Amino acid sequence: MMIGKTVATRTIVQVLRINVEMRSRLLLTQFVRTFKAKSDKRESFFITTPIFYVNAQPHLGHVYSVVLADAAARFQQLCGIQKDQIIFSTGTDEHGLKIQQAAAAGQCDVLKFCSDVSGKFKTLFDMTNIGYTQYIRTVEERHKRAVQHIFSTLMDKGYIFRGNYSGWYCIPDETFLTEAQVKEVTLPSGEKKMVSAESGHTVEWSSEDNYMFQLSKFQDDLQYWLKFDKRVQPKRFQDQLLLWLDSELPDLSVSRPRSRISWGVPVPGDANHTVYVWVDALINYLTVAGYPELTVWPPDVQVLGKDILRFHGLYWPALLIAAGLEPPNSLLCHSHWTVEGTKMSKSLGNVVCPWTSIERYTVDGLRYLLLRGGTPHSDSNWSDTQAILTLNGELANILGNLLNRCTAPSLNPGLLVPPLSPHYFQTMPAAGYRLVDQMANLPNTVARHYTDFNFYHGLEEIIAVVRQANVFVQDAKPWELKNLPDRTKLDSVLRLALEAVRFAGVTLQPIVPSLASQLLDTLMVPEHHRGWDSLETNTDVILKKSCLHVSRPLGARKKLFMKLKGSL
Ligand code: MSP
């Protein structure tokens, strides 16, 4: 099975178009690129999520980012990566003007304000079973050290220089914008104002002395980095980055005067300037890797939302390349959740509260909904009506009913996994063959979808198998078979149906860890037989009486998922 890339590296000295400019640049930077060669086995897995602003409370969209990363990390573990070889970072982004302003508005000490909200994100992630290994806060000393170290490195290399920035700044997005990125709008009062064309947030004019990063020097490097397939998934976001690269990149302002923004990391050697909050935030990925003493680099996957693609797909790799470090192996850029078709926003009052959703749907229910309905390539719509239909239909009915049937005392009084009779296997209803076929394909198909972060496709396949198992049980009529003098046929039906439940249990682990573990506990599947490689099904295996999964007693019968009431 293709799982990913290994740590085997090959070093390639950059040989690009030989023109004078490039040659002089190479001499200047002594830039060396290393690429990870693709192979079948990965030994460690380094994944990151964006760090979350603490000026507002956590919402459903934030949970989606971390659940995606968590499912990817759990899947890698199922494929054989040791738990202690997983690096999974998340955390909070706590510097910047909007946070400084939010704390001031609440008449609160800034650090206390940040600690309170950061704590809420952490509690929420713990509650939702996110297996992060690092929770980073940008106010930490280790982070300040990393930011100042890389800033000094870039100054020493000549990529950061003193300059003057005159242009637009958008506080809610904490971003500098060019003329082309802003537009004028007329308010209902008739008043005119300038806003960001992309986010619609108000912008203000600023003209200030600050430090600039020579982003324009990295156009070719970025194009080269983006030449590789699946560098950014889904593909449309890689195309978007390449499109941005068709126009010349302006240099990037990387500091702001301390008189305007004091809540941040001072520029090394110049206390009058604060490091630009986005540069500060991006460096968190280096901090968690131990920078400047890197223990692991680069990240295998960096998860981010579509609104922060430019920062992660242009500025971030350029900063790394400039510092002589490898850019990330890949980015997973996801689209957003809307609510009943409308963008989630505090002012519209339609922000979905994750705690309310957990209360209504349970932790596993919420995770299932996010990964079943979330399509990274385009926006997904959150609807409570649809949520109930999905959970009742798929977890309570399709999966829950199959488990119930297989463990019902009237059909399975001994509560065990019985053997499959070769004779029955040759004469069973056609639905049984289709089921065996689907099961045989499931591990590879789901692995492919999970590897590509298309968890929703993986779930479609799993549910299709469970649905087919129900069709088979329906056609095999175990309630009639139980009246026959010998149990061979009934046992055979149970064996196949329970095998489908086991397949669902193993493959659902990255999505709904508690529910899947409850399912596998009921089947009494030993902990060390829950990996992806335990999913081998072909006729020989299924018919083998000595198979690990035959004649095993089952655990206590428990309701898998409580049906939700239709009205809220
Ligand atoms: N602090 C920056 C990220 C710095 S990373 C070096 C930031 N924070 S954020 O809190 O505004 O957003 C964090 C993540 O949540 C982003 O990936 C963003 O796309 C995601 N989401 C915000 N709203 C969302 C939805 N409605 N739906 C899905 N994800 C959403 O940006």
Side-chain angles (χ1 to χ4, degrees):
M1 185 190 317
M2 236 309 286
I3 296 162
K5 303 164 188 171
T6 66
V7 285
T9 59
R10 76 193 152 98
T11 306
I12 305 170
V13 179
Q14 181 190 26
V15 186
L16 286 175
R17 283 194 308 274
I18 307 296
N19 63 40
V20 178
E21 195 215 343
M22 285 306 290
R23 223 182 295 145
S24 59
R25 215 188 101 217
L26 277 174
L27 286 174
L28 181 74
T29 63
Q30 290 293 302
F31 175 51
V32 172
R33 278 196 185 124
T34 58
F35 292 103
K36 290 193 168 175
K38 287 209 173 192
S39 109
D40 281 356
K41 203 125 180 75
R42 217 200 266 279
E43 284 153 20
S44 65
F45 186 62
F46 182 6
I47 187 164
T48 67
T49 77
I51 49 171
F52 301 91
Y53 284 133
V54 291
N55 64 312
Q57 301 297 313
H59 66 61
L60 191 85
H62 304 139
V63 184
Y64 180 53
S65 275
V66 287
V67 167
L68 267 174
D70 186 60
R74 284 176 188 274
F75 172 59
Q76 291 297 328
Q77 271 191 64
L78 287 181
C79 291
I81 296 198
Q82 297 297 314
K83 199 170 179 172
D84 61 1
Q85 294 303 310
I86 302 267
I87 304 111
F88 172 9
S89 72
T90 189
T92 42
D93 186 354
E94 307 184 24
H95 289 140
L97 205 48
K98 70 174 173 183
I99 286 152
Q100 190 179 310
Q101 288 177 348
Q107 293 185 328
C108 192
D109 169 68
V110 200
L111 184 58
K112 182 179 178 319
F113 175 86
C114 291
S115 300
D116 285 352
V117 184
S118 178
K120 283 190 186 162
F121 274 98
K122 191 163 187 279
T123 312
L124 176 65
F125 298 161
D126 289 337
M127 203 167 161
T128 32
N129 247 326
I130 306 300
Y132 60 83
T133 60
Q134 291 245 6
Y135 190 84
I136 167 106
R137 295 183 56 192
T138 52
V139 290
E140 288 175 57
E141 203 47 47
R142 60 170 176 156
H143 178 65
K144 178 178 166 193
R145 193 164 78 100
V147 172
Q148 292 197 323
H149 194 278
I150 198 163
F151 208 96
S152 303
T153 305
L154 296 176
M155 287 208 270
D156 293 348
K157 285 177 178 264
Y159 289 127
I160 286 182
F161 61 97
R162 277 299 287 262
N164 175 274
Y165 176 80
S166 287
W168 300 100
Y169 192 78
C170 176
I171 299 177
D173 301 339
E174 294 283 18
T175 185
F176 297 94
L177 297 165
T178 60
E179 280 300 337
Q181 292 171 308
V182 297
K183 64 177 185 187
E184 189 182 73
V185 291
T186 309
L187 300 175
S189 60
E191 191 195 329
K192 291 188 187 319
K193 70 168 184 173
M194 298 303 285
V195 297
S196 154
E198 200 176 309
S199 69
H201 292 136
T202 308
V203 297
E204 60 182 38
W205 183 258
S206 85
S207 180
E208 54 197 34
D209 280 340
N210 51 24
Y211 289 84
M212 304 292 290
F213 169 64
Q214 290 182 310
L215 180 63
S216 48
K217 290 242 167 191
F218 295 91
Q219 198 115 4
D220 288 337
D221 290 310
L222 292 170
Q223 252 148 2
Y224 180 85
W225 177 66
L226 287 167
K227 264 210 307 226
F228 293 82
D229 269 358
K230 297 200 174 177
R231 181 69 83 197
V232 182
Q233 280 180 285
K235 185 175 175 298
R236 59 174 292 201
F237 295 117
Q238 184 152 343
D239 294 343
Q240 170 68 73
L241 287 168
L242 285 166
L243 195 72
W244 282 333
L245 281 173
D246 280 347
S247 323
E248 220 168 280
L249 292 176
D251 287 342
L252 178 70
S253 171
V254 288
S255 77
R256 306 214 64 204
R258 199 138 192 97
S259 53
R260 284 179 188 248
I261 159 78
S262 57
W263 185 236
V265 178
V267 164
D270 187 348
N272 292 327
H273 288 264
T274 305
V275 175
Y276 170 41
V277 64
W278 259 103
V279 171
D280 172 340
L282 288 164
I283 291 164
N284 92 84
Y285 304 127
L286 281 167
T287 308
V288 297
Y291 186 83
E293 293 89 34
L294 280 175
T295 49
V296 50
W297 198 257
D300 292 291
V301 186
Q302 301 211 264
V303 178
L304 54 126
K306 64 176 186 178
D307 54 324
I308 52 176
L309 179 62
R310 186 186 289 272
F311 300 96
H312 285 81
L314 299 181
Y315 305 164
W316 172 230
L319 286 165
L320 287 169
I321 294 169
L325 294 164
E326 260 193 87
N329 281 341
S330 71
L331 304 181
L332 164 64
C333 182
H334 64 77
S335 301
H336 279 182
W337 280 90
T338 58
V339 182
E340 313 285 355
T342 317
K343 187 177 166 167
M344 240 190 264
S345 101
K346 222 163 45 173
S347 51
L348 289 174
N350 65 351
V351 173
V352 179
C353 165
W355 284 281
T356 311
S357 302
I358 290 173
E359 216 169 281
R360 275 185 192 154
Y361 307 120
T362 73
V363 166
D364 280 318
L366 176 62
R367 290 178 62 115
Y368 188 82
L369 292 168
L370 289 173
L371 296 175
R372 179 75 168 104
T375 49
H377 54 83
S378 51
D379 286 354
S380 310
N381 189 42
W382 182 265
S383 137
D384 285 309
T385 316
Q386 186 56 45
I388 293 174
L389 285 175
T390 303
L391 293 177
N392 284 350
E394 299 184 356
L395 293 187
N397 289 344
I398 300 181
L399 185 57
N401 282 352
L402 183 65
L403 180 67
N404 272 345
R405 282 166 146 180
C406 298
T407 53
S410 58
L411 298 180
N412 194 348
L415 256 195
L416 41 81
V417 184
L420 172 69
S421 120
H423 180 254
Y424 182 78
F425 193 72
Q426 276 156 18
T427 54
M428 67 181 172
Y433 300 107
R434 182 149 167 66
L435 174 61
V436 173
D437 233 38
Q438 274 179 266
M439 280 200 286
N441 290 327
L442 193 73
N444 278 336
T445 316
V446 175
R448 185 162 40 82
H449 293 314
Y450 282 8
T451 305
D452 285 345
F453 312 102
N454 287 324
F455 293 100
Y456 69 106
H457 272 326
L459 288 170
E460 269 162 22
E461 301 288 340
I462 299 168
I463 290 302
V465 163
V466 183
R467 193 180 272 125
Q468 183 62 26
N470 278 314
V471 171
F472 165 62
V473 172
Q474 200 66 27
D475 290 359
K477 302 191 174 53
W479 48 92
E480 287 177 9
L481 301 179
K482 79 173 188 201
N483 300 322
L484 296 176
D486 97 65
R487 286 190 53 92
T488 317
K489 287 187 175 171
L490 175 57
D491 280 351
S492 299
V493 175
L494 292 177
R495 164 78 175 109
L496 264 191
L498 280 165
E499 188 65 347
V501 176
R502 185 175 74 87
F503 267 54
V506 171
T507 50
L508 282 173
Q509 291 175 97
I511 316 291
V512 282
S514 305
L515 186 137
S517 135
Q518 187 194 319
L519 197 68
L520 296 170
D521 287 349
T522 305
L523 300 185
M524 294 284 253
V525 177
E527 288 285 343
H528 56 285
H529 280 290
R530 297 183 178 189
W532 217 258
D533 57 5
S534 71
L535 298 176
E536 196 199 350
T537 276
N538 55 46
T539 315
D540 290 349
V541 174
I542 279 201
L543 285 172
K544 236 198 249 164
K545 283 206 174 149
S546 59
C547 166
L548 166 83
H549 301 294
V550 173
S551 303
R552 215 186 31 231
L554 296 175
R557 204 168 176 240
K558 248 164 93 185
K559 198 151 193 84
L560 192 66
F561 192 84
M562 284 295 213
K563 234 178 177 170
L564 300 159
K565 295 255 168 17
S567 59
L568 296 167

